[in-house]
Amino acid sequence: DDPIKDLSPLSGLTNVRYNIVINNSFAGSSLAGLENIVSAGGLTIGSATTPTTPKEGIAVVLSSLESLGKLQINSSQVTALILPKLKTVGDTYIDANMLAMADFSSLETCDENFIMKASSGNTYLTTLALPAFNHVRCNMQIEKYTKIETLSLPKLEKVGGNVTLSTLGSITELSLPEFAQCGGSFSSANLNKATKISLPKLVSVPTLSLTGNTSNSSTEEIELPLLENVSNDLTIKMGALS
């Protein structure tokens, strides 16, 4: 009955010890008013099991944010996630089927899981660039962002747990040029337009699975020149490479 539309009275905030929580009652189109926040315990729009559906589409732009303990987005109303100064983040869960813009240009480390999983499928986001991203402590998952044409992870070196890259049907090449350490399984699936999968520095991995739809997979080359040890299963099954 009395929705929140304007956060500008909060423009003096620079730090939030606990969480910034956006609920269904929010009726603004942006988080303008929170642009001076440098650190926060978390940003939550929905939970991993329950989505939040604010009254309007929201562009999340936090231009000063450098440190975030938790990033949890489960909402079809989030259209942009612009965090250009964010360097460190804790547990990250992003399920946003209308997300069209994402800026993580300064992000270096994730101290827990980094999960981008569009459970209903995202057909809006075309580029996901993490140019400074180096280390994920636990699991990393990017799945069902079907229109991503460019996935850029040029500095990613280490993931402590599992890596899952699945149903990214528009990328033309999967290249992780610095990726050397994977504590769990590495799995890619249904990257149907990717002509090349390149992991030139990967030496050892517990489980490696590179699979696709054998009827329409475009993959012609898999580059693993330093791979010495797969301690469990090795599966390569896609098109002519099956």
Side-chain angles (χ1 to χ4, degrees), residues 13-24:
L13 275 176
T14 58
N15 294 278
V16 177
R17 183 176 179 183
Y18 295 114
N19 295 324
I20 302 166
V21 181
I22 305 298
N23 289 322
N24 291 337

Side-chain angles (χ1 to χ4, degrees), residues 82-165:
I82 311 299
L83 308 172
K85 291 187 178 180
L86 184 66
K87 293 182 179 179
T88 62
V89 66
D91 200 40
T92 299
Y93 181 89
I94 301 169
D95 186 344
N97 63 355
M98 297 288 284
L99 185 69
M101 297 178 62
D103 185 347
F104 294 103
S105 51
S106 297
L107 186 62
E108 297 176 359
T109 60
C110 176
D111 291 330
E112 295 187 49
N113 297 308
F114 185 90
I115 296 173
M116 290 185 67
K117 181 181 180 181
S119 57
S120 299
N122 177 297
T123 60
Y124 295 89
L125 190 66
T126 60
T127 299
L128 181 59
L130 295 103
F133 206 32
N134 175 265
H135 178 211
V136 179
R137 182 179 178 185
C138 298
N139 300 318
M140 180 175 178
Q141 180 179 2
I142 303 174
E143 184 175 4
K144 292 186 179 180
Y145 285 78
T146 58
K147 294 300 181 180
I148 290 178
E149 298 173 359
T150 302
L151 176 61
S152 179
L153 293 159
K155 294 187 178 180
L156 183 66
E157 294 182 7
K158 181 179 180 180
V159 175
N162 301 325
V163 176
T164 304
L165 304 173

Side-chain angles (χ1 to χ4, degrees), residues 65-96:
L65 189 66
E66 296 180 5
S67 176
L68 192 60
K70 176 176 68 174
L71 177 60
Q72 188 167 271
I73 306 290
N74 185 356
S75 177
S76 61
Q77 295 294 78
V78 174
T79 59
L81 191 54
I82 311 299
L83 308 172
K85 291 187 178 180
L86 184 66
K87 293 182 179 179
T88 62
V89 66
D91 200 40
T92 299
Y93 181 89
I94 301 169
D95 186 344

